[in-house]
Amino acid sequence: ASAAIVASKLSGAGITVADQWRVTANFTNTASPIASNLERVDTAGQGTLGSAMTESSGVFTFPSTGIWLVEFHQTYQFKDGTGLSRRAAIEATTDNSSYNTVARLDRTGYDEGYDIRSVESLIDVTDTSNVKVQFSVTSSSTNDITLGNTDQNHTFFTFIRLGDT
């Protein structure tokens, strides 16, 4: 009998939403928020689960309440060999207006090349009308390039609903 009770409590348990979006074209310098050339992943072999996130002007709306894992992965090329500062950030709002940085990664570089950086945060989505996220990159260089691609995840965002809030 105890196995039946456990099974009934677990029915429907687990991850119910997993979604990914990506940047489809390269851009230079700063974007706050990243608001153009965005698409939900659609390459053969990639998949999503449950309801999709929606996006408007770089602002992502969650399809349901809950605790969500939000990840931001940026691939970029930096060309200035000086001590310039670069930042990738996840910003969240709880009032559909004022955004706060909830996760960020800073880098100061004296070299040139390619790099990837990732930041993530758990977001408590208590109200899908007011709790939203956006992503930004800033650079003090005029030559930094955030890499995008329409067929592969170069710069991308992952959203996974972990459970109830």
Side-chain angles (χ1 to χ4, degrees):
S2 64
I5 293 171
V6 170
S8 72
K9 290 188 182 285
L10 290 178
S11 66
I15 293 172
T16 57
V17 180
D19 203 9
Q20 267 189 342
W21 288 66
R22 64 177 159 227
V23 175
T24 61
N26 295 353
F27 66 87
T28 56
N29 309 327
T30 296
S32 184
I34 299 171
S36 60
N37 299 313
L38 298 170
E39 72 174 7
R40 191 176 191 212
V41 296
D42 60 359
T43 303
Q46 291 182 303
T48 58
L49 174 68
S51 299
M53 298 289 294
T54 55
E55 178 272 331
S56 177
S57 301
V59 174
F60 286 84
T61 299
F62 296 90
S64 59
T65 60
I67 302 296
W68 288 75
L69 174 63
V70 176
E71 300 174 333
F72 172 23
H73 305 272
Q74 179 199 19
T75 303
Y76 66 105
Q77 180 180 13
F78 45 104
K79 293 186 171 188
D80 289 325
T82 59
L84 298 171
S85 63
R86 299 155 175 102
R87 172 177 295 160
I90 300 171
E91 300 162 345
T93 180
T94 58
D95 64 5
N96 195 26
S97 178
S98 303
Y99 282 83
N100 296 309
T101 299
V102 295
R104 79 179 205 200
L105 182 64
D106 296 306
R107 183 179 196 285
T108 302
Y110 289 91
D111 48 1
E112 297 183 7
Y114 293 86
D115 203 356
I116 186 167
R117 55 185 163 191
S118 300
V119 294
E120 62 185 42
S121 185
L122 295 175
I123 306 295
D124 186 2
V125 181
T126 56
D127 178 343
T128 59
S129 296
N130 288 311
V131 180
K132 300 173 189 273
V133 293
Q134 62 186 24
F135 305 91
S136 67
V137 294
T138 57
S139 174
S140 60
S141 169
T142 58
N143 295 315
D144 283 353
I145 301 169
T146 295
L147 302 180
N149 190 298
T150 191
D151 297 319
Q152 303 171 358
N153 291 356
H154 288 213
T155 298
F156 60 98
F157 321 112
T158 302
F159 307 89
I160 300 173
R161 186 183 184 278
L162 300 175
D164 294 339
T165 184

